[in-house]
Amino acid sequence: MSAGFRILERVRKVSAQDVKNFAAIPVANISDSMARMTAAGARLRPLHRGGKLAGAAITVKSRPGDNLMVHKALDLAEPGDIVVVDAGGDLSNAIIGELMVAHAIQRGLGGIVIYGAVRDLDAIQGGSFPVFAAGVTHRGPYKDGPGEINVPIAIDGMVIAPGDLVVGDYDGLLCVGYDDIAAVYAAAKAKNDAEVAQMAAIQAGTSDRGWIDASLKRLGCQQIGQPVSRHG
């Protein structure tokens, strides 16, 4: 088997229940529960209507500007899967467009992530099928390979293994590793529940702001004088 031009079998993936659980939590809260150490960078943005994405990854490492292996991954992916493509972040040629998105929709996939460019932006933005990408160009792709399917890939330092969970919204894209699913979900749900309660307190005017002065004191911030109230 030739490294750099091969198709591997995906041996495990997160469950449909895992996907459903995480889809209900904002990506920012999941990120906070992972020590804010994991991210796919600010370049990857949702281009579709609605902005949400969640599913198990089928990974593709493609030569920049070439989509042969992406086409094959669309045919291999199972319903609900997210095809995640490391195309090197290059924006010279589009990796997918309207026709490939239509094929993904017909097969019941959960979305496509392109660390590279796409085209046919009007069609993508007009639909609700999840598409994240780093940019847009009218220049089309080549179909010569090489590339790899179901190998670990990295997007701006964030490693994604086949079968890992990928989630996205308007704040960006995040990967939760297969082995970390249970622990991260418990922490993210607790974080989200706490923020729901905090929002209710803010709206009711009962939010406790004492932590600010406590933090300033702990950190040794010098406060000289106090604001003077002026009347009349």
Side-chain angles (χ1 to χ4, degrees):
M1 182 177 293
S2 175
F5 201 12
R6 57 186 177 177
I7 300 171
L8 303 181
E9 180 183 2
R10 183 177 57 180
V11 296
R12 64 183 188 178
K13 72 173 187 175
V14 295
S15 71
Q17 186 61 53
D18 292 329
V19 174
K20 182 178 179 180
N21 288 344
F22 277 89
I25 301 177
V27 168
N29 287 346
I30 303 171
S31 178
D32 284 354
S33 301
M34 299 175 70
R36 305 182 177 102
M37 290 294 290
T38 301
R43 296 176 71 197
L44 274 179
R45 306 304 307 158
L47 302 182
H48 58 289
R49 186 175 66 244
K52 298 283 287 186
L53 172 147
I58 178 169
T59 59
V60 183
K61 187 172 182 63
S62 70
R63 182 169 64 86
D66 192 285
N67 74 358
L68 175 62
M69 298 301 268
V70 182
H71 274 283
K72 182 60 178 179
L74 290 178
D75 290 344
L76 292 174
E78 299 172 346
D81 281 349
I82 311 296
V83 175
V84 186
V85 182
D86 173 14
D90 181 77
L91 305 182
S92 300
N93 298 82
I95 299 299
I96 68 164
E98 181 180 10
L99 294 178
M100 293 178 74
V101 168
H103 182 59
I105 292 171
Q106 192 276 330
R107 299 207 64 246
L109 305 191
I112 302 175
V113 175
I114 304 292
Y115 188 50
V118 302
R119 66 178 180 179
D120 301 327
L121 181 62
D122 54 344
I124 293 172
Q125 286 185 325
S128 59
F129 181 80
V131 176
F132 277 64
V136 179
T137 180
H138 55 79
R139 294 174 58 178
Y142 300 97
K143 295 176 172 59
D144 304 310
E148 297 178 297
I149 295 176
N150 284 327
V151 297
I153 61 174
I155 296 178
D156 203 23
M158 184 179 77
V159 177
I160 305 171
D164 283 352
L165 175 74
V166 287
V167 290
D169 61 20
Y170 284 119
D171 285 335
L173 190 82
L174 181 64
C175 173
V176 182
Y178 181 92
D179 292 327
D180 297 325
I181 285 291
V184 173
Y185 176 67
K189 186 177 187 306
K191 170 71 173 176
N192 193 61
D193 291 346
E195 287 206 354
V196 170
Q198 184 180 3
M199 179 61 77
I202 291 171
Q203 293 173 339
T206 60
S207 178
D208 181 4
R209 306 290 288 170
W211 67 269
I212 300 172
D213 287 336
S215 293
L216 292 173
K217 181 179 180 179
R218 174 176 57 83
L219 295 168
C221 177
Q222 185 179 14
Q223 298 187 63
I224 302 174
Q226 296 295 327
V228 177
S229 178
R230 302 182 186 278
H231 301 281

